[in-house]
Amino acid sequence: MSQLSIVIPAYNEEGSIVETLESLYAALQEAKIDHEIVVVNDNSKDQTLVILENLQKSIPSLTIYTNPGPNGFGYAIRYGLERFKGDIVAVMMADLSDDPQDLIAFYRLMVEKNLDCVFGSRFIKGGTTYDYPKHKYIINRFANTLIRFLVGIPYNDSTNAFKMYRKNTIEGLKPFLSAHFNLTIELPLKAIIRGYSYEVLPNSWRNRKAGQSNLKIKEMGSRYLFILLYILIEKYLSRNDYLKK
């Protein structure tokens, strides 16, 4: 059975990281999935790193890296994507927003159908959100509708960070351009326009119970637009140079 790696970026997550990792590890153990949990500490200023080091005593599959910089959500994930060891890799959040049971469903579908990618959607039948801030919901639906229209794809939740890829798919999506949350759209959009196989499963999302979100919408708009314009340039002008080999 394919080994699953889970890359989790963590910046100042002392209030959530214990419950996130303990629930994830318990679910993977119960499902008997060979795995590694790769947490990238993005130079946290609180007790996140100390807590992670203590958790290694009870979670033997936990590997910790500290991203020396540059720092940022995208950089932290990229740091983990250069170092994971599994055949399949998923990106999850450190703030309890993602459900480990969804991760297991993604993994089983990918293995069963030999897919290159599995993407989550919170906005299809079976998908749910809990305590989603209204202004973020409105911006989310507008952004995803714009992406669908411009790129010409049916997938309606590109900004969802919760996704899964085969290792060779990740290699085929390099080099990565995004330093921040825009990596959440760079990876799936590249995979889709480059011809990698994928399916979409519903997933649940809940707002964090502790700490503060690091997503600053005002700062991210131009960064998302940059990646979207790059995707459009590649799709229409690259003459298929980057298609899956």
Side-chain angles (χ1 to χ4, degrees):
M1 191 67 82
S2 300
Q3 185 186 44
L4 172 62
S5 297
I6 304 97
V7 171
I8 302 174
Y11 176 72
N12 291 351
E13 294 289 357
E14 63 182 7
S16 302
I17 197 68
V18 172
E19 189 175 349
T20 295
L21 296 186
E22 287 182 344
S23 61
L24 176 60
Y25 178 68
L28 290 167
Q29 285 292 96
E30 184 178 357
K32 296 181 170 56
I33 294 175
D34 181 22
H35 70 278
E36 63 165 351
I37 301 171
V38 179
V39 177
V40 180
N41 168 45
D42 200 32
N43 269 318
S44 297
K45 303 300 188 289
D46 61 2
Q47 294 299 303
T48 296
L49 181 57
V50 174
I51 292 169
L52 286 169
E53 290 170 343
N54 287 331
L55 280 171
Q56 283 186 306
K57 301 170 187 175
S58 57
I59 303 178
S61 57
L62 174 59
T63 299
I64 305 165
Y65 294 106
T66 291
N67 175 23
N71 298 118
F73 178 85
Y75 282 127
I77 292 176
R78 286 164 56 178
Y79 199 86
L81 291 179
E82 293 291 346
R83 290 162 176 79
F84 75 92
K85 299 174 182 176
D87 311 293
I88 294 170
V89 61
V91 175
M92 293 185 72
M93 302 297 279
D95 59 4
L96 289 169
S97 59
D98 301 317
D99 188 335
Q101 295 305 319
D102 291 333
L103 175 76
I104 292 167
F106 281 29
Y107 173 81
R108 287 175 174 163
L109 178 67
M110 177 171 278
V111 171
E112 177 188 346
K113 295 194 174 183
N114 195 29
L115 296 167
D116 295 319
C117 321
V118 178
F119 303 145
S121 176
R122 298 159 290 184
F123 307 106
I124 60 175
K125 184 177 180 180
T128 54
T129 60
Y130 301 94
D131 194 25
Y132 202 127
K134 189 170 183 179
H135 70 287
K136 287 189 176 182
Y137 175 85
I138 293 169
I139 293 170
N140 176 296
R141 300 324 302 142
F142 173 79
N144 278 283
T145 299
L146 181 64
I147 290 168
R148 287 179 66 190
F149 174 75
L150 292 177
V151 184
I153 58 173
Y155 181 41
N156 72 346
D157 199 9
S158 297
T159 57
N160 187 350
F162 186 34
K163 302 181 178 83
M164 184 176 288
Y165 306 86
R166 288 197 180 272
K167 187 168 189 173
N168 64 336
T169 304
I170 289 293
E171 292 302 313
L173 303 182
K174 293 178 179 177
F176 303 133
L177 306 175
S178 302
H180 299 281
F181 282 85
N182 47 344
L183 188 68
T184 61
I185 68 169
E186 178 182 351
L187 297 180
L189 294 181
K190 275 185 176 178
I192 292 170
I193 68 170
R194 293 182 183 183
Y196 289 90
S197 63
Y198 73 97
E199 287 197 16
V200 179
L201 283 182
N203 73 284
S204 65
W205 180 93
R206 63 179 61 248
N207 202 5
R208 62 168 56 243
K209 293 191 287 187
Q212 291 184 333
S213 171
N214 298 312
L215 173 60
K216 304 295 187 292
I217 292 174
K218 289 182 179 179
E219 297 176 11
M220 289 309 303
S222 62
R223 292 178 172 132
Y224 279 109
L225 182 59
F226 163 70
I227 291 300
L228 180 56
L229 291 174
Y230 170 83
I231 294 297
L232 294 174
I233 290 169
E234 180 178 316
K235 179 176 181 178
Y236 293 110
L237 299 181
S238 69
R239 303 182 69 87
N240 298 327
D241 288 340
Y242 302 99
L243 285 182
K244 177 184 176 182
K245 302 296 187 292

